[in-house]
Amino acid sequence: MNNEIKPRVWVGNLGAYNAGKLIGEWVDATDNLAETVTGMVAAWYAANPMDGDEYYIGDYDDFGGAAPKTEWPNLDEVEALANALVDATDPAALATFLEYGCGGDMDRLGENFEHAYRGRFNNETDFARDYVEATGMLGGVPEDVAGYFDYEALAHDMKAGGDYWFAPAKLGVYVFDNTV
């Protein structure tokens, strides 16, 4: 669990906004979001029926680049995304995973990410070097011969072959496995 991030959404009263009033508050997106919003809307309507009974999501906090691009998202999906970000080994990589259109079913987002994510590396060649060492690909090859192995070419082939894809990270690249 990643305690450094706390995804939340700003839920506003749409009727009040349209009437020139800003009514709303920040809400934890990881815990019963739909139920919380329903309660907020009911309270707003009870306090002033003229403001109506519609909400909108005005802002997202701690979602990285993964926040939905709409003011009326599916709240269950927002909650699933928020929980996946909190549980992710690397929330920024998960946001990138989503930006590139991956993830599939929101209920399995975290699982899909964790299966595909191979880590953050300085560059694609460093990933290829790590892969070769982790798999023992050059096991049994004499060191003086193994020194001639072309890690850059392997990284190119991994990418061109479609088995792995690389996305820019703040420091290096994120690596994802397409074969899982």
Side-chain angles (χ1 to χ4, degrees), residues 96-173:
T96 299
F97 189 65
L98 287 167
E99 282 181 57
Y100 279 73
C102 299
D105 180 11
M106 277 302 218
D107 291 335
R108 298 189 57 198
L109 172 62
E111 181 182 335
N112 292 344
F113 167 73
E114 295 298 337
H115 279 99
Y117 185 52
R118 293 295 170 253
R120 185 177 60 210
F121 295 84
N122 290 328
N123 53 50
E124 296 169 8
T125 303
D126 281 356
F127 169 68
R129 183 173 282 106
D130 183 78
Y131 177 86
V132 167
E133 289 172 10
T135 61
M137 183 184 282
L138 295 178
V141 175
E143 257 186 69
D144 55 339
V145 174
Y148 289 98
F149 189 81
D150 190 343
Y151 294 99
E152 189 174 330
L154 176 62
H156 175 270
D157 289 351
M158 292 170 128
K159 183 177 181 179
D163 288 345
Y164 294 89
W165 60 276
F166 303 86
K170 281 188 180 178
L171 300 172
V173 294

Side-chain angles (χ1 to χ4, degrees), residues 15 27 64 72 79 86 112 140:
V27 175
W72 296 281
E79 184 176 334
V86 168
N112 292 344

Side-chain angles (χ1 to χ4, degrees), residues 31-114:
D31 188 30
N32 298 316
L33 181 59
E35 186 178 313
T36 300
V37 170
T38 299
M40 291 171 67
V41 169
W44 292 332
Y45 189 75
N48 186 355
M50 294 302 291
D51 284 340
D53 60 353
E54 292 183 80
Y55 74 91
Y56 68 100
I57 303 297
D59 201 359
Y60 297 85
D61 186 37
D62 259 350
F63 277 80
K69 310 287 190 256
T70 177
E71 294 175 330
W72 296 281
N74 177 313
L75 296 176
D76 292 331
E77 289 184 2
V78 171
E79 184 176 334
L81 171 58
N83 283 306
L85 286 164
V86 168
D87 294 340
T89 54
D90 187 337
L94 175 57
T96 299
F97 189 65
L98 287 167
E99 282 181 57
Y100 279 73
C102 299
D105 180 11
M106 277 302 218
D107 291 335
R108 298 189 57 198
L109 172 62
E111 181 182 335
N112 292 344
F113 167 73
E114 295 298 337

